[in-house]
Amino acid sequence: MYKVFIENKPLIFQINSEVLTDLNIDQLWHDVESFLRSEETEMLISIRDEADFQQFFATYKYIEAAGGMVQRDDGFLFIKRNDVWDIPKGKLESGETPEIAAVREIEEECGLLAPIIKCHLIDTWHTYPHKGKNVLKRTYWYWLDEGDQKTELIPQAEEGITEVAYFKLAELEPIMANTYLSIIEVVDELKKRL
């Protein structure tokens, strides 16, 4: 199964080997566009396999990113980027593993030194337009510990980050009210692990 957020609305691609017909991409995109304009909260699409998923997004540029939920005591790190609460993350550089990218991006975006990965949480998928092209982004999310070095948080202004702060889970309501649905999925997965 793949859950892809388009315009912050989830398309759920369910792999079903009993699907016998080829995808009609044009008709499916017409249905997706109708869904995006509707009040419906999610859309289920049955596909045969991963090749159908790739065919559906064949015109999209594919990129990978990584980031994570950094814990300090009973608080978790969030950033405010372009007036929306988010979790630090960024694109993988050439030859970089998701784990290395997650640590590097958190260091760059927040000023932390060497956060320590505890475990992989979840992968999310979303799309967005960039320089006239559509992008399909897969993000690898991790649960990290701040480590022994309690450093001053410094928002990376050139990335549009204006705030960096730790919040306890009981304090997340205003954060969750001003974030993306994919970020809520990451937080929900973390809560399952606590």
Side-chain angles (χ1 to χ4, degrees):
M1 180 187 86
Y2 297 93
K3 183 185 283 189
V4 180
F5 291 89
I6 297 181
E7 297 179 20
N8 209 31
K9 290 181 79 171
L11 297 181
I12 300 169
F13 292 84
Q14 183 67 47
I15 295 177
N16 181 351
S17 60
E18 295 177 14
V19 174
L20 301 176
T21 58
D22 289 338
L23 283 182
N24 180 333
I25 297 295
D26 291 336
Q27 180 60 50
L28 191 49
W29 270 112
H30 175 74
D31 295 345
V32 168
E33 288 168 1
S34 295
F35 160 69
L36 294 174
R37 291 187 303 270
S38 76
E39 298 297 318
E40 296 294 321
T41 57
E42 66 183 29
M43 180 178 179
L44 179 65
I45 300 171
S46 289
I47 57 175
R48 289 176 293 198
D49 52 26
E50 187 174 321
D52 280 353
F53 179 77
Q54 292 172 354
Q55 181 185 0
F56 184 80
F57 289 105
T59 62
Y60 281 65
K61 178 182 178 182
Y62 174 70
I63 64 169
E64 294 181 311
M69 301 282 303
V70 179
Q71 184 173 4
R72 174 194 280 178
D73 301 322
D74 58 353
F76 293 90
L77 185 64
F78 286 86
I79 61 174
K80 196 168 201 181
R81 182 192 324 254
N82 301 322
D83 293 323
V84 178
W85 285 105
D86 204 343
I87 303 169
K89 67 179 176 308
K91 295 176 193 169
L92 273 66
E93 294 180 354
S94 179
E96 198 172 42
T97 65
E99 295 85 357
I100 290 171
V103 169
R104 177 184 53 76
E105 285 291 338
I106 291 164
E107 289 174 335
E108 291 173 1
E109 292 188 348
C110 304
L112 289 182
L113 296 175
I116 301 161
I117 293 178
K118 295 169 90 164
C119 68
H120 174 260
L121 286 173
I122 191 173
D123 295 347
T124 61
W125 298 77
H126 73 277
T127 67
Y128 60 93
H130 182 69
K131 296 182 180 178
K133 295 185 178 188
N134 289 318
V135 175
L136 173 64
K137 182 191 277 186
R138 177 184 189 172
T139 304
Y140 302 89
W141 294 104
Y142 298 91
W143 177 6
L144 302 94
D145 187 85
E146 182 185 40
D148 294 333
Q149 300 181 37
K150 305 290 188 217
T151 55
E152 179 186 353
L153 299 176
I154 303 168
Q156 188 180 25
E158 60 269 19
E159 289 289 327
I161 302 170
T162 55
E163 292 182 54
V164 181
Y166 285 94
F167 295 91
K168 295 178 182 179
L169 292 180
E171 301 170 329
L172 291 185
E173 188 175 323
I175 305 298
M176 297 296 96
N178 183 26
T179 194
Y180 305 102
L181 291 177
S182 59
I183 297 303
I184 293 172
E185 294 226 333
V186 177
V187 172
D188 286 347
E189 184 62 30
L190 175 72
K191 287 178 180 178
K192 290 178 193 174
R193 310 273 183 114
L194 292 173

